[in-house]
Amino acid sequence: MGNPFDLTGRKALVTGGATGIGEGIALALAAAGADVALTYRSHAPQETIAKIEGLDREAAAVQADFIGMTESSAEDVIRFATDALGGLDILVNNAGIIHREESTDMPLDDWRRVLSVNLDSVWLLSQAAGKRMVAQGAGKIVIVSSVLGSQGGLRVPAYVSSKHAVLGLTKALCNEWASMGVNVNAIAPGYTATDNTQALRDDPDRSKALLDRIPAGRFAEPSEIAGAAVFLASDAASYCHGSCVTVDGGWLAR
């Protein structure tokens, strides 16, 4: 029996793969044997590309803004990855943004901007990739949600709504595509040392309150979220459909 976690020969696309959790996932997929394409918005991808190529894997990157994504622009992203790598076996919907503000003050434009990136783009990219995967009879789609997909959070109503929504989308797509050889699953990271949590980590009181609740006593590193993505993208997760793997240092257990 071969290694069920081996991704040799697989072709993967990771959105937001040049930084944070996305970079951690992209590098872990490459280390497991996959060729990896990634999207980026403003963070230069050259360093991540070099790391992937240093693992003797093919790498490619395309700049994409997921605010206001359309069916056409989603198709362009999927086509880029497919053409650059020679196929597409794995899609990791990781790209996301957060907006912190009192709910009484939050402008509709900011609400829509967060939902556009965190929900609309996930749907559009999953749809575009899913068409290909259903046609080829195989594929893995991994959607990055959050522990706030199970909670209400503080001052992040749009983010929380989007992360609840993508868990529902995970289940909906699973119900349609599982019998066609396509696995659709999610990851719920806890508080991780990324740009999205920088403001929280820089606030001594808020940081202490968070750390006091996390049984592990620390924020995660992006690489610690990546193992769940490798698992869900591999043959080891062949019977995982519509599930969510929580990687939170015990946050939700507290």
Side-chain angles (χ1 to χ4, degrees), residues 61 63 74 109 144 148 193 221:
Q63 189 170 26
D109 283 350
V144 178
L148 293 184
E221 294 298 323

Side-chain angles (χ1 to χ4, degrees), residues 24-115:
I25 290 173
L27 295 178
L29 292 174
D35 297 321
V36 182
L38 54 89
T39 72
Y40 67 99
R41 182 177 61 173
S42 57
H43 189 94
Q46 286 83 358
E47 184 175 344
T48 307
I49 291 294
K51 290 176 182 178
I52 294 170
E53 291 176 342
L55 294 166
D56 293 326
R57 307 314 311 162
E58 295 293 326
V62 61
Q63 189 170 26
D65 189 345
F66 289 0
I67 298 173
M69 176 169 269
T70 64
E71 290 173 296
S72 176
S73 59
E75 176 62 29
D76 287 344
V77 169
I78 297 300
R79 185 185 301 111
F80 167 83
T82 303
D83 290 348
L85 301 179
L88 185 65
D89 305 296
I90 301 160
L91 168 64
V92 180
N93 283 301
N94 163 78
I97 59 174
I98 194 166
H99 180 87
R100 291 186 172 85
E101 190 168 359
E102 297 292 339
S103 294
T104 52
D105 301 326
M106 185 175 180
L108 180 58
D109 283 350
D110 288 319
W111 169 274
R112 287 175 171 164
R113 180 171 56 89
V114 173
L115 269 291

Side-chain angles (χ1 to χ4, degrees), residues 147-169:
V147 291
L148 293 184
S150 301
Q151 298 179 300
L154 293 171
R155 303 178 69 246
V156 286
Y159 182 84
V160 167
S161 297
S162 71
K163 294 305 183 179
H164 275 72
V166 295
L167 289 179
L169 178 60

Side-chain angles (χ1 to χ4, degrees), residues 4-7 10 90 140 183 229-238:
F5 299 96
D6 184 12
L7 298 179
R10 308 288 174 87
I90 301 160
K140 307 280 189 176
N183 299 73
V230 172
F231 164 64
L232 292 175
S234 74
D235 291 342
S238 61

Side-chain angles (χ1 to χ4, degrees), residues 123 143 165-178 184 242:
W123 156 244
I143 297 174
V166 295
L167 289 179
L169 178 60
T170 298
K171 295 171 185 176
L173 296 180
C174 150
N175 289 341
E176 292 191 45
W177 296 344
V184 185

